[in-house]
Short mmCIF file of all heavy atoms in Angstrom, two decimals:
data_model
loop_
_atom_site.label_atom_id
_atom_site.label_comp_id
_atom_site.label_asym_id
_atom_site.label_seq_id
_atom_site.Cartn_x
_atom_site.Cartn_y
_atom_site.Cartn_z
N PHE A 1 0.83 -1.19 0.00
CA PHE A 1 0.00 0.00 0.00
C PHE A 1 0.88 1.26 0.00
O PHE A 1 1.63 1.50 0.94
CB PHE A 1 -0.91 0.01 1.23
CG PHE A 1 -1.85 -1.15 1.28
CD1 PHE A 1 -1.47 -2.34 1.87
CD2 PHE A 1 -3.12 -1.06 0.72
CE1 PHE A 1 -2.33 -3.41 1.92
CE2 PHE A 1 -3.99 -2.13 0.77
CZ PHE A 1 -3.60 -3.31 1.36
N ASP A 2 0.79 2.05 -1.06
CA ASP A 2 1.40 3.37 -1.12
C ASP A 2 2.89 3.30 -0.76
O ASP A 2 3.31 3.73 0.32
CB ASP A 2 0.66 4.33 -0.20
CG ASP A 2 1.10 5.78 -0.41
OD1 ASP A 2 1.67 6.06 -1.48
OD2 ASP A 2 0.86 6.61 0.49
N ASP A 3 3.68 2.77 -1.67
CA ASP A 3 5.12 2.65 -1.48
C ASP A 3 5.69 4.03 -1.12
O ASP A 3 5.52 5.01 -1.85
CB ASP A 3 5.75 2.13 -2.77
CG ASP A 3 7.21 1.76 -2.60
OD1 ASP A 3 7.88 2.35 -1.74
OD2 ASP A 3 7.69 0.88 -3.33
N ASP A 4 6.40 4.09 0.02
CA ASP A 4 6.96 5.36 0.48
C ASP A 4 8.01 5.91 -0.47
O ASP A 4 8.27 7.12 -0.47
CB ASP A 4 7.57 5.18 1.88
CG ASP A 4 6.52 4.91 2.93
OD1 ASP A 4 5.33 5.19 2.66
OD2 ASP A 4 6.88 4.40 4.01
N LYS A 5 8.63 5.05 -1.29
CA LYS A 5 9.67 5.51 -2.21
C LYS A 5 9.08 5.95 -3.55
O LYS A 5 9.57 6.91 -4.16
CB LYS A 5 10.71 4.41 -2.44
CG LYS A 5 11.66 4.21 -1.27
CD LYS A 5 12.84 3.34 -1.67
CE LYS A 5 13.89 3.30 -0.57
NZ LYS A 5 15.09 2.53 -0.97
N THR A 6 8.06 5.26 -4.04
CA THR A 6 7.50 5.58 -5.36
C THR A 6 6.19 6.33 -5.27
O THR A 6 5.76 6.93 -6.27
CB THR A 6 7.29 4.29 -6.17
OG1 THR A 6 6.27 3.49 -5.55
CG2 THR A 6 8.58 3.49 -6.26
N GLY A 7 5.50 6.26 -4.12
CA GLY A 7 4.21 6.91 -3.98
C GLY A 7 3.08 6.17 -4.66
O GLY A 7 1.97 6.70 -4.81
N GLU A 8 3.31 4.91 -5.10
CA GLU A 8 2.31 4.13 -5.79
C GLU A 8 2.08 2.80 -5.08
O GLU A 8 2.94 2.32 -4.34
CB GLU A 8 2.74 3.87 -7.24
CG GLU A 8 2.93 5.12 -8.08
CD GLU A 8 3.44 4.81 -9.47
OE1 GLU A 8 3.80 3.63 -9.71
OE2 GLU A 8 3.48 5.73 -10.31
N ASP A 9 0.90 2.21 -5.34
CA ASP A 9 0.64 0.87 -4.85
C ASP A 9 1.42 -0.13 -5.70
O ASP A 9 1.49 0.00 -6.93
CB ASP A 9 -0.86 0.55 -4.92
CG ASP A 9 -1.67 1.39 -3.95
OD1 ASP A 9 -1.06 2.04 -3.09
OD2 ASP A 9 -2.91 1.39 -4.06
N ARG A 10 2.00 -1.14 -5.06
CA ARG A 10 2.78 -2.17 -5.76
C ARG A 10 2.14 -3.52 -5.49
O ARG A 10 1.78 -3.83 -4.35
CB ARG A 10 4.23 -2.18 -5.24
CG ARG A 10 4.89 -0.81 -5.10
CD ARG A 10 5.31 -0.23 -6.41
NE ARG A 10 6.31 -1.04 -7.09
CZ ARG A 10 7.63 -1.00 -6.83
NH1 ARG A 10 8.09 -0.19 -5.86
NH2 ARG A 10 8.48 -1.74 -7.51
N TRP A 11 2.03 -4.35 -6.51
CA TRP A 11 1.39 -5.65 -6.32
C TRP A 11 1.90 -6.66 -7.35
O TRP A 11 2.46 -6.31 -8.38
CB TRP A 11 -0.13 -5.54 -6.42
CG TRP A 11 -0.64 -4.82 -7.65
CD1 TRP A 11 -0.98 -3.51 -7.74
CD2 TRP A 11 -0.84 -5.38 -8.95
NE1 TRP A 11 -1.39 -3.20 -9.01
CE2 TRP A 11 -1.32 -4.33 -9.79
CE3 TRP A 11 -0.68 -6.64 -9.50
CZ2 TRP A 11 -1.63 -4.54 -11.13
CZ3 TRP A 11 -0.98 -6.85 -10.84
CH2 TRP A 11 -1.46 -5.80 -11.64
N HIS A 12 1.68 -7.93 -7.02
CA HIS A 12 2.03 -9.05 -7.89
C HIS A 12 1.14 -10.22 -7.54
O HIS A 12 0.83 -10.45 -6.36
CB HIS A 12 3.50 -9.44 -7.70
CG HIS A 12 3.85 -10.77 -8.33
ND1 HIS A 12 4.06 -11.92 -7.59
CD2 HIS A 12 4.00 -11.13 -9.63
CE1 HIS A 12 4.34 -12.92 -8.40
NE2 HIS A 12 4.32 -12.47 -9.64
N TYR A 13 0.70 -10.96 -8.55
CA TYR A 13 -0.05 -12.19 -8.26
C TYR A 13 0.30 -13.25 -9.30
O TYR A 13 0.66 -12.96 -10.44
CB TYR A 13 -1.56 -11.96 -8.22
CG TYR A 13 -2.21 -11.53 -9.51
CD1 TYR A 13 -2.58 -12.45 -10.49
CD2 TYR A 13 -2.48 -10.18 -9.76
CE1 TYR A 13 -3.19 -12.06 -11.66
CE2 TYR A 13 -3.08 -9.78 -10.93
CZ TYR A 13 -3.43 -10.72 -11.88
OH TYR A 13 -4.03 -10.32 -13.05
N LEU A 14 0.20 -14.49 -8.86
CA LEU A 14 0.46 -15.66 -9.70
C LEU A 14 -0.55 -16.73 -9.33
O LEU A 14 -0.59 -17.19 -8.18
CB LEU A 14 1.88 -16.18 -9.50
CG LEU A 14 2.23 -17.53 -10.15
CD1 LEU A 14 2.06 -17.45 -11.66
CD2 LEU A 14 3.64 -17.96 -9.78
N ALA A 15 -1.38 -17.12 -10.29
CA ALA A 15 -2.38 -18.17 -10.09
C ALA A 15 -2.02 -19.34 -10.99
O ALA A 15 -1.77 -19.16 -12.19
CB ALA A 15 -3.77 -17.65 -10.41
N ARG A 16 -2.02 -20.54 -10.42
CA ARG A 16 -1.72 -21.76 -11.18
C ARG A 16 -2.76 -22.82 -10.85
O ARG A 16 -3.16 -22.97 -9.70
CB ARG A 16 -0.34 -22.29 -10.83
CG ARG A 16 0.82 -21.40 -11.26
CD ARG A 16 2.09 -21.76 -10.54
NE ARG A 16 2.02 -21.39 -9.13
CZ ARG A 16 2.88 -21.79 -8.21
NH1 ARG A 16 3.88 -22.58 -8.54
NH2 ARG A 16 2.76 -21.41 -6.96
N ALA A 17 -3.18 -23.55 -11.88
CA ALA A 17 -4.17 -24.60 -11.68
C ALA A 17 -3.95 -25.69 -12.72
O ALA A 17 -3.49 -25.42 -13.84
CB ALA A 17 -5.59 -24.05 -11.78
N SER A 18 -4.26 -26.92 -12.34
CA SER A 18 -4.21 -28.04 -13.27
C SER A 18 -5.35 -28.99 -12.96
O SER A 18 -5.83 -29.06 -11.82
CB SER A 18 -2.87 -28.78 -13.19
OG SER A 18 -2.70 -29.35 -11.90
N ALA A 19 -5.79 -29.72 -13.98
CA ALA A 19 -6.91 -30.65 -13.81
C ALA A 19 -6.67 -31.86 -14.70
O ALA A 19 -6.19 -31.72 -15.84
CB ALA A 19 -8.23 -29.97 -14.17
N ALA A 20 -6.99 -33.03 -14.19
CA ALA A 20 -6.91 -34.28 -14.96
C ALA A 20 -8.34 -34.70 -15.29
O ALA A 20 -9.06 -35.19 -14.43
CB ALA A 20 -6.19 -35.36 -14.16
N PHE A 21 -8.75 -34.47 -16.54
CA PHE A 21 -10.10 -34.82 -16.94
C PHE A 21 -10.26 -36.33 -17.12
O PHE A 21 -11.33 -36.89 -16.89
CB PHE A 21 -10.46 -34.10 -18.24
CG PHE A 21 -10.24 -32.62 -18.18
CD1 PHE A 21 -9.35 -32.00 -19.04
CD2 PHE A 21 -10.91 -31.83 -17.25
CE1 PHE A 21 -9.12 -30.64 -18.99
CE2 PHE A 21 -10.69 -30.46 -17.19
CZ PHE A 21 -9.80 -29.87 -18.07
N SER A 22 -9.18 -36.97 -17.54
CA SER A 22 -9.16 -38.42 -17.75
C SER A 22 -7.69 -38.83 -17.82
O SER A 22 -6.80 -37.96 -17.83
CB SER A 22 -9.89 -38.79 -19.04
OG SER A 22 -9.16 -38.36 -20.17
N PRO A 23 -7.39 -40.13 -17.91
CA PRO A 23 -5.97 -40.51 -18.04
C PRO A 23 -5.29 -39.92 -19.26
O PRO A 23 -4.08 -39.75 -19.27
CB PRO A 23 -6.04 -42.05 -18.13
CG PRO A 23 -7.30 -42.41 -17.40
CD PRO A 23 -8.26 -41.30 -17.69
N ALA A 24 -6.05 -39.56 -20.30
CA ALA A 24 -5.46 -39.06 -21.54
C ALA A 24 -5.50 -37.54 -21.67
O ALA A 24 -4.80 -36.98 -22.50
CB ALA A 24 -6.14 -39.69 -22.75
N TRP A 25 -6.32 -36.86 -20.88
CA TRP A 25 -6.53 -35.42 -21.07
C TRP A 25 -6.27 -34.65 -19.79
O TRP A 25 -6.70 -35.06 -18.71
CB TRP A 25 -7.97 -35.16 -21.54
CG TRP A 25 -8.22 -35.65 -22.93
CD1 TRP A 25 -8.69 -36.88 -23.29
CD2 TRP A 25 -7.98 -34.93 -24.13
NE1 TRP A 25 -8.77 -36.98 -24.65
CE2 TRP A 25 -8.34 -35.78 -25.21
CE3 TRP A 25 -7.51 -33.65 -24.42
CZ2 TRP A 25 -8.24 -35.40 -26.53
CZ3 TRP A 25 -7.41 -33.26 -25.75
CH2 TRP A 25 -7.77 -34.13 -26.79
N ARG A 26 -5.54 -33.53 -19.94
CA ARG A 26 -5.23 -32.65 -18.81
C ARG A 26 -5.43 -31.20 -19.22
O ARG A 26 -5.30 -30.85 -20.40
CB ARG A 26 -3.78 -32.84 -18.34
CG ARG A 26 -3.46 -34.18 -17.74
CD ARG A 26 -2.07 -34.18 -17.15
NE ARG A 26 -1.94 -33.21 -16.08
CZ ARG A 26 -2.23 -33.47 -14.81
NH1 ARG A 26 -2.66 -34.67 -14.46
NH2 ARG A 26 -2.08 -32.56 -13.88
N GLY A 27 -5.71 -30.37 -18.23
CA GLY A 27 -5.81 -28.94 -18.44
C GLY A 27 -4.89 -28.20 -17.49
O GLY A 27 -4.69 -28.64 -16.34
N ARG A 28 -4.33 -27.09 -17.95
CA ARG A 28 -3.43 -26.29 -17.12
C ARG A 28 -3.72 -24.81 -17.32
O ARG A 28 -4.14 -24.40 -18.41
CB ARG A 28 -1.96 -26.57 -17.45
CG ARG A 28 -1.50 -27.98 -17.13
CD ARG A 28 -0.04 -28.17 -17.49
NE ARG A 28 0.47 -29.47 -17.12
CZ ARG A 28 0.38 -30.55 -17.88
NH1 ARG A 28 -0.21 -30.48 -19.06
NH2 ARG A 28 0.88 -31.70 -17.47
N MET A 29 -3.46 -24.03 -16.27
CA MET A 29 -3.66 -22.59 -16.34
C MET A 29 -2.60 -21.90 -15.52
O MET A 29 -2.23 -22.35 -14.43
CB MET A 29 -5.06 -22.22 -15.82
CG MET A 29 -5.41 -20.74 -15.96
SD MET A 29 -4.78 -19.72 -14.58
CE MET A 29 -5.82 -20.27 -13.24
N ARG A 30 -2.09 -20.78 -16.04
CA ARG A 30 -1.13 -19.95 -15.31
C ARG A 30 -1.43 -18.50 -15.65
O ARG A 30 -1.50 -18.13 -16.84
CB ARG A 30 0.31 -20.30 -15.70
CG ARG A 30 1.36 -19.39 -15.04
CD ARG A 30 2.74 -19.65 -15.62
NE ARG A 30 3.73 -18.73 -15.07
CZ ARG A 30 4.48 -18.98 -14.02
NH1 ARG A 30 4.35 -20.13 -13.38
NH2 ARG A 30 5.36 -18.09 -13.59
N LEU A 31 -1.60 -17.68 -14.61
CA LEU A 31 -1.88 -16.26 -14.80
C LEU A 31 -0.98 -15.48 -13.87
O LEU A 31 -1.04 -15.65 -12.65
CB LEU A 31 -3.35 -15.96 -14.51
CG LEU A 31 -3.79 -14.50 -14.63
CD1 LEU A 31 -3.60 -14.01 -16.06
CD2 LEU A 31 -5.24 -14.34 -14.19
N GLU A 32 -0.12 -14.61 -14.44
CA GLU A 32 0.82 -13.83 -13.64
C GLU A 32 0.84 -12.39 -14.12
O GLU A 32 0.95 -12.13 -15.32
CB GLU A 32 2.23 -14.42 -13.71
CG GLU A 32 3.22 -13.73 -12.78
CD GLU A 32 4.57 -14.39 -12.74
OE1 GLU A 32 4.87 -15.20 -13.64
OE2 GLU A 32 5.34 -14.11 -11.80
N ARG A 33 0.73 -11.47 -13.20
CA ARG A 33 0.78 -10.05 -13.51
C ARG A 33 1.48 -9.31 -12.37
O ARG A 33 1.52 -9.78 -11.22
CB ARG A 33 -0.63 -9.48 -13.71
CG ARG A 33 -1.30 -9.90 -15.01
CD ARG A 33 -0.59 -9.27 -16.20
NE ARG A 33 -1.23 -9.58 -17.47
CZ ARG A 33 -0.91 -10.62 -18.23
NH1 ARG A 33 0.01 -11.47 -17.82
NH2 ARG A 33 -1.50 -10.79 -19.40
#
């Protein structure tokens, strides 16, 4: 919250997920900002 050096809010997030729909099929997700 309100970096004393820059005067701005600073943030980072990373979301990761995976799913096994069946032995042959998988899903993956990655979101980073």
Side-chain angles (χ1 to χ4, degrees):
F1 298 88
D2 190 19
D3 190 331
D4 293 342
K5 285 193 172 184
T6 66
E8 299 177 351
D9 293 349
R10 314 284 298 278
W11 51 264
H12 167 254
Y13 65 83
L14 171 61
R16 293 163 290 168
S18 64
F21 307 119
S22 70
W25 291 91
R26 294 187 62 87
R28 295 180 176 87
M29 185 276 290
R30 176 188 176 93
L31 179 62
E32 186 174 16
R33 287 292 183 269

